[in-house]
Amino acid sequence: MKKKPWVLRAFVAAVGGLLVGALAVVPAEAAGQRHQAGLGLKAFAVGKDTVDAASGSGTVSIDWTVTDGNPEATDMLGAITIQQVAADGSLVGAPQDLTFSFMPQAPYQASAVAGTMASADYSYAFPVPQYAIGSTAHWAVVKVAAKDDLGGTLTVGRQKMATFGAAFTATELVDATGPAYDGLGLVLNQPLYLYNADASVTQRYQIHVTDAESGLFRLQLFLKGPKNATVNGTVQFVTERDGSLQCGPDSTAFDTHEGFCNVDVTLPAGAPAGDWSVSRVRLTDAAGNVSVTKGLSVSPVHVTQNSTLRASDFTVSPSQFNNWNGLAPLTISMKPSGASKGIKSVTVLLEGCSGSVTENPVVAPDGSISVRATVPPIYTKQCTVTGIGITDGAGNSAAYGVAFHGPALDLVATQIPDTAAPVVNSASLDTTSVPASSLPRNGLLTLDVTSFVGVTGFSLTVYDANGVSVDGRYGGLQPVTNGPLTLLVPLHQGLAPGVYTVGFSLPDAGGLHSEYGYPNHPGPTLPGGPLLITVTDN
């Protein structure tokens, strides 16, 4: 089966903390000197000088021997990096990583075929990529790195590997075009204002990229801001230890030919205030082709140090909202200063509630401006303003709150508490005597209730003279705050003649409940006395 080229890069993430960062560059001479005391590369050979990979199934056998002078070591992990080399000696395209371990284990591709930890032989049929920039490509092993389970390390660089003759030439299909993209924009819920006076800030973009031939390797986004300042962010296609292919933070691709990739771009503290937007996209495929798109103006972000436009006197009202029976309005107010050409827009972000963007807000006589927000009904207990962004007519911005990395805001509104359980003002049955021959049937219980937050359910039980439950019902209701509430009282066939009592419980939207009429149970007394139904013989 043909192996995908990107599989060879599994080592980058698979080794994780075992090798990444631990394999400091060791000069070739030092690597050789470590042969007796630690890890060493004793032999390395490429099976043939030329290979035809145009069919997509070309392979080159690679054989090598790693020694370990530490008799206590029992396992070892490593990677061999193979890359195209241009005529001028520069490295081209995506590096291909061949991973290996002494003990067979996933996701490492090769394991020892002979020997012991003291001197282990390895062999692997390296699948040569099908595409290159030219019909003939020169490939070379540019690095071998390894680490044993006791901390011994080995790093052999490009210059030393050249002495092993670790190179070959491949005939390949020509990939003459670079990658393409579309769908570039900010990731959902990214802030449109960023305060960077004291610390760097990061903005995340998503881009859909494709490359039908050699596959994708690297993505770069460039942002341009005021005074021709620029910053950029870069991601590469990397296979993680679990086998997933990542192309940026929190983004996964099925293969290197297509992906929705997240790219983080960081603006340093104090970067010029003003609008920053994506101005250039640079994409590189695995063969080394580069495609660049310039002159873009995508997803502007307002960067500020609050040095020109500012705001103060922030308030949220009411401080307690009543959303028990529906949506509740909130008003967020502030007083801007330093504005040029008026206030163009105000953006308010809230946690737990719906924010708002107000264009050309009205300035009150005291110089303040206000924005409306909405609290969802019943279950929202608290609304916290997490971000306020302001833009004036001249393009100056100010940003406040954690959502925009700005100065802290202390704007919190809470739900009016539910402190009173529902009250029954009156209760009556449509009938108090029924013949046994008329059963089964339902009686009607009509209640007049008062509830600040609304009755949202009921539980009703019919008891015999001994206080034993013989029937009942329960269910939910649309909130009832005042007025009549009618409930069915079930009376099933076969009830013996006698006197039966009806008890019920009424919960409200806030979780409080009141109980009436339960035998041998303390509770409020029903207006008019107990609810009694007599079942007669006839």
Side-chain angles (χ1 to χ4, degrees), residues 112-164:
V113 296
T116 65
M117 274 293 294
S119 181
D121 297 331
Y122 299 83
S123 182
Y124 189 76
F126 170 66
V128 182
Q130 185 179 18
Y131 288 92
I133 286 182
S135 59
T136 300
H138 182 68
W139 293 83
V141 176
V142 297
K143 184 179 180 181
V144 175
K147 181 177 181 179
D148 67 22
D149 55 356
L150 295 180
T153 63
L154 166 71
T155 301
V156 182
R158 181 179 174 184
Q159 182 177 359
K160 178 66 176 180
M161 292 308 303
T163 65
F164 286 101

XYZ file of all heavy atoms in Angstrom, residues 112-164:
386
model
N 13.842 -2.129 15.251
C 15.080 -2.880 15.034
C 14.797 -4.223 14.360
O 13.863 -4.937 14.732
C 15.791 -3.091 16.358
N 15.603 -4.543 13.354
C 15.461 -5.825 12.653
C 16.510 -6.824 13.113
O 16.388 -8.028 12.836
C 15.551 -5.630 11.120
C 14.392 -4.786 10.620
C 16.892 -4.995 10.724
N 17.543 -6.361 13.814
C 18.585 -7.262 14.315
C 19.381 -6.520 15.377
O 19.407 -5.287 15.423
C 19.515 -7.727 13.189
N 20.058 -7.286 16.245
C 20.943 -6.708 17.221
C 20.279 -6.417 18.551
O 19.141 -6.818 18.825
N 21.018 -5.711 19.385
C 20.564 -5.330 20.719
C 20.670 -3.824 20.848
O 21.110 -3.131 19.927
C 21.420 -6.008 21.787
O 22.774 -5.504 21.683
C 21.426 -7.527 21.609
N 20.327 -3.308 22.045
C 20.452 -1.864 22.254
C 21.897 -1.408 22.081
O 22.153 -0.278 21.692
C 19.942 -1.483 23.649
C 18.452 -1.228 23.723
S 17.942 0.261 22.803
C 18.749 1.547 23.761
N 22.829 -2.282 22.364
C 24.235 -1.909 22.213
C 24.577 -1.615 20.767
O 25.392 -0.735 20.466
C 25.135 -3.011 22.759
N 23.926 -2.340 19.834
C 24.142 -2.116 18.402
C 22.953 -2.714 17.658
O 22.869 -3.937 17.504
C 25.457 -2.751 17.931
O 25.653 -2.509 16.545
N 22.025 -1.841 17.241
C 20.786 -2.299 16.612
C 20.743 -1.881 15.157
O 21.085 -0.746 14.802
C 19.586 -1.737 17.359
N 20.326 -2.824 14.292
C 20.192 -2.563 12.861
C 18.731 -2.252 12.528
O 17.804 -2.893 13.048
C 20.638 -3.775 12.047
C 22.106 -4.105 12.251
O 22.880 -3.178 12.526
O 22.447 -5.300 12.148
N 18.539 -1.288 11.635
C 17.201 -0.886 11.206
C 17.137 -0.877 9.687
O 18.156 -0.665 9.007
C 16.861 0.526 11.717
C 16.853 0.655 13.214
C 18.039 0.867 13.921
C 15.668 0.554 13.928
C 18.040 0.987 15.296
C 15.651 0.683 15.318
C 16.845 0.896 15.987
O 16.844 1.011 17.346
N 15.927 -1.075 9.147
C 15.743 -1.035 7.701
C 14.335 -0.558 7.403
O 13.370 -0.915 8.104
C 15.955 -2.428 7.091
O 15.816 -2.377 5.681
N 14.208 0.254 6.355
C 12.880 0.767 5.998
C 12.851 1.098 4.515
O 13.816 1.642 3.963
C 12.554 2.020 6.811
C 11.122 2.482 6.657
C 10.085 1.823 7.299
C 10.816 3.576 5.858
C 8.767 2.238 7.166
C 9.497 4.002 5.711
C 8.478 3.326 6.362
O 7.188 3.733 6.221
N 11.695 0.767 3.883
C 11.501 1.125 2.479
C 10.825 2.496 2.445
O 9.615 2.608 2.653
C 10.647 0.082 1.778
N 11.616 3.515 2.201
C 11.116 4.888 2.225
C 10.302 5.167 0.956
O 10.807 5.042 -0.163
C 12.297 5.851 2.307
C 11.934 7.292 2.093
C 11.121 7.961 2.995
C 12.390 7.986 0.978
C 10.782 9.292 2.790
C 12.051 9.315 0.767
C 11.241 9.974 1.685
N 9.003 5.542 1.093
C 8.183 5.865 -0.077
C 8.533 7.257 -0.600
O 8.275 8.255 0.070
C 6.757 5.797 0.457
C 6.876 6.086 1.913
C 8.223 5.611 2.346
N 9.080 7.322 -1.776
C 9.512 8.597 -2.346
C 8.281 9.374 -2.836
O 7.429 8.813 -3.526
C 10.498 8.374 -3.514
C 10.975 9.705 -4.069
C 11.676 7.532 -3.038
N 8.156 10.641 -2.491
C 7.019 11.430 -2.976
C 6.903 11.388 -4.491
O 7.905 11.339 -5.210
C 7.337 12.838 -2.469
C 8.147 12.615 -1.231
C 8.995 11.413 -1.551
N 5.672 11.426 -4.968
C 5.413 11.311 -6.405
C 5.691 12.607 -7.144
O 6.007 12.589 -8.336
C 3.957 10.881 -6.612
C 3.573 10.606 -8.054
C 2.121 10.168 -8.175
O 1.320 10.382 -7.268
N 1.773 9.549 -9.293
N 5.569 13.742 -6.448
C 5.681 15.052 -7.109
C 6.896 15.821 -6.620
O 7.302 15.717 -5.455
C 4.436 15.889 -6.841
C 3.192 15.414 -7.575
C 2.312 14.527 -6.971
C 2.910 15.859 -8.864
C 1.175 14.084 -7.625
C 1.773 15.423 -9.529
C 0.912 14.544 -8.910
O -0.219 14.121 -9.573
N 7.456 16.596 -7.531
C 8.532 17.538 -7.215
C 8.385 18.736 -8.146
O 7.576 18.717 -9.081
C 9.893 16.880 -7.389
N 9.174 19.781 -7.888
C 9.099 20.965 -8.755
C 9.579 20.633 -10.166
O 9.049 21.136 -11.147
C 9.915 22.125 -8.151
C 9.171 22.707 -6.946
C 10.170 23.218 -9.174
C 9.857 23.894 -6.309
N 10.584 19.779 -10.265
C 11.086 19.363 -11.572
C 10.906 17.873 -11.767
O 10.549 17.133 -10.851
N 11.152 17.423 -12.976
C 10.995 16.002 -13.273
C 12.069 15.156 -12.598
O 11.919 13.940 -12.460
C 11.032 15.772 -14.785
O 12.262 16.249 -15.328
N 13.159 15.785 -12.201
C 14.215 15.094 -11.470
C 14.478 15.855 -10.178
O 14.648 17.078 -10.188
C 15.511 15.020 -12.291
O 15.255 14.320 -13.510
C 16.605 14.308 -11.506
N 14.511 15.136 -9.067
C 14.732 15.773 -7.767
C 15.840 15.040 -7.034
O 15.933 13.809 -7.077
C 13.446 15.757 -6.941
N 16.691 15.807 -6.374
C 17.761 15.230 -5.565
C 17.321 15.243 -4.108
O 16.931 16.276 -3.570
C 19.057 16.041 -5.731
C 20.212 15.474 -4.971
N 20.792 14.269 -5.294
C 20.887 15.954 -3.894
C 21.782 14.022 -4.459
N 21.858 15.029 -3.597
N 17.342 14.060 -3.474
C 16.943 13.918 -2.085
C 18.154 13.531 -1.250
O 19.009 12.776 -1.694
C 15.864 12.838 -1.939
C 14.557 13.199 -2.585
C 14.206 13.067 -3.887
C 13.435 13.777 -1.925
N 12.926 13.520 -4.098
C 12.418 13.954 -2.902
C 13.161 14.148 -0.606
C 11.181 14.505 -2.588
C 11.927 14.681 -0.300
C 10.944 14.855 -1.282
N 18.181 14.054 -0.018
C 19.294 13.731 0.874
C 18.784 13.597 2.299
O 17.826 14.263 2.706
C 20.372 14.811 0.807
N 19.426 12.705 3.047
C 19.158 12.627 4.487
C 19.910 13.780 5.131
O 21.141 13.861 5.053
C 19.622 11.278 5.060
C 19.429 11.256 6.576
C 18.872 10.133 4.400
N 19.171 14.684 5.760
C 19.793 15.896 6.290
C 19.929 15.874 7.803
O 20.587 16.739 8.388
C 18.994 17.150 5.862
C 19.013 17.300 4.349
C 17.558 17.091 6.373
N 19.309 14.868 8.455
C 19.430 14.817 9.913
C 19.009 13.445 10.423
O 18.075 12.840 9.927
C 18.565 15.900 10.563
C 18.692 15.998 12.074
C 17.803 17.124 12.612
C 17.905 17.247 14.111
N 17.024 18.322 14.641
N 19.723 12.954 11.438
C 19.319 11.784 12.196
C 19.354 12.185 13.667
O 20.363 12.728 14.151
C 20.247 10.578 11.951
C 19.859 9.413 12.858
C 20.205 10.150 10.488
N 18.262 11.943 14.368
C 18.183 12.297 15.783
C 17.599 11.131 16.550
O 16.745 10.407 16.047
C 17.315 13.543 15.982
N 18.058 10.924 17.785
C 17.550 9.830 18.605
C 17.754 10.158 20.072
O 18.580 11.011 20.444
C 18.241 8.517 18.245
N 16.978 9.443 20.918
C 17.112 9.593 22.365
C 16.733 8.277 23.014
O 15.710 7.680 22.678
C 16.196 10.709 22.874
C 16.290 10.941 24.368
C 15.419 12.111 24.814
C 15.555 12.343 26.312
N 14.741 13.490 26.774
N 17.566 7.800 23.945
C 17.217 6.558 24.617
C 16.420 6.856 25.879
O 16.215 8.014 26.256
C 18.451 5.693 24.888
C 19.411 6.305 25.917
O 18.969 7.152 26.720
O 20.595 5.933 25.917
N 15.952 5.797 26.551
C 15.061 5.962 27.699
C 15.778 6.403 28.961
O 15.146 6.581 30.008
C 14.263 4.688 27.955
C 15.154 3.460 28.128
O 16.379 3.583 27.968
O 14.605 2.383 28.424
N 17.094 6.594 28.895
C 17.843 7.105 30.038
C 18.405 8.496 29.780
O 19.248 8.980 30.542
C 18.975 6.127 30.404
C 18.506 4.755 30.912
C 19.699 3.869 31.233
C 17.612 4.911 32.139
N 17.981 9.113 28.687
C 18.380 10.492 28.417
C 19.535 10.665 27.476
O 19.903 11.792 27.150
N 20.137 9.555 27.020
C 21.203 9.689 26.037
C 20.662 10.190 24.712
O 19.596 9.761 24.274
N 21.371 11.100 24.056
C 20.882 11.694 22.814
C 21.909 11.590 21.699
O 23.107 11.438 21.933
C 20.537 13.186 23.014
O 21.719 13.898 23.372
C 19.478 13.359 24.083
N 21.376 11.671 20.482
C 22.204 11.644 19.276
C 21.619 12.624 18.278
O 20.410 12.611 18.021
C 22.207 10.235 18.674
C 22.751 10.105 17.243
C 24.264 10.302 17.238
C 22.386 8.749 16.654
N 22.449 13.479 17.711
C 22.044 14.356 16.619
C 23.177 14.394 15.600
O 24.296 14.802 15.921
C 21.745 15.790 17.106
O 20.713 15.746 18.083
C 21.295 16.662 15.932
N 22.869 13.924 14.407
C 23.850 13.950 13.322
C 23.279 14.839 12.223
O 22.200 14.567 11.686
C 24.133 12.539 12.782
C 25.190 12.596 11.692
C 24.569 11.612 13.914
N 23.988 15.906 11.882
C 23.487 16.888 10.946
C 23.803 16.587 9.494
O 24.383 15.554 9.149
N 23.461 17.528 8.657
C 23.546 17.363 7.198
C 24.976 17.138 6.723
O 25.231 16.294 5.855
C 22.951 18.603 6.541
C 22.939 18.577 5.026
C 22.308 19.841 4.502
N 22.398 19.930 3.055
C 21.994 20.978 2.351
N 21.479 22.038 2.982
N 22.121 20.996 1.039
N 25.909 17.864 7.313
C 27.293 17.748 6.850
C 27.851 16.345 7.128
O 28.487 15.729 6.261
C 28.158 18.800 7.542
C 29.611 18.799 7.090
C 30.415 19.907 7.756
O 29.884 20.692 8.538
N 31.698 19.967 7.439
N 27.617 15.812 8.303
C 28.090 14.485 8.654
C 27.387 13.422 7.813
O 28.005 12.434 7.366
C 27.850 14.227 10.139
C 28.271 12.846 10.615
C 29.768 12.637 10.543
C 30.159 11.288 11.128
N 31.605 11.054 11.071
N 26.059 13.617 7.585
C 25.319 12.625 6.802
C 25.830 12.541 5.370
O 25.759 11.484 4.733
C 23.820 12.954 6.815
C 23.157 12.776 8.171
S 23.459 11.159 8.927
C 22.847 10.059 7.655
N 26.360 13.635 4.861
C 26.894 13.616 3.497
C 28.058 12.639 3.364
O 28.286 12.054 2.296
C 27.325 15.022 3.085
N 28.793 12.428 4.468
C 29.927 11.497 4.401
C 29.463 10.047 4.286
O 30.243 9.168 3.902
C 30.815 11.643 5.652
O 30.073 11.240 6.817
C 31.271 13.082 5.826
N 28.197 9.785 4.621
C 27.641 8.430 4.462
C 27.112 8.201 3.046
O 26.695 7.090 2.711
C 26.483 8.207 5.440
C 26.901 8.022 6.871
C 26.812 9.072 7.780
C 27.387 6.799 7.317
C 27.180 8.899 9.100
C 27.755 6.621 8.634
C 27.666 7.679 9.539
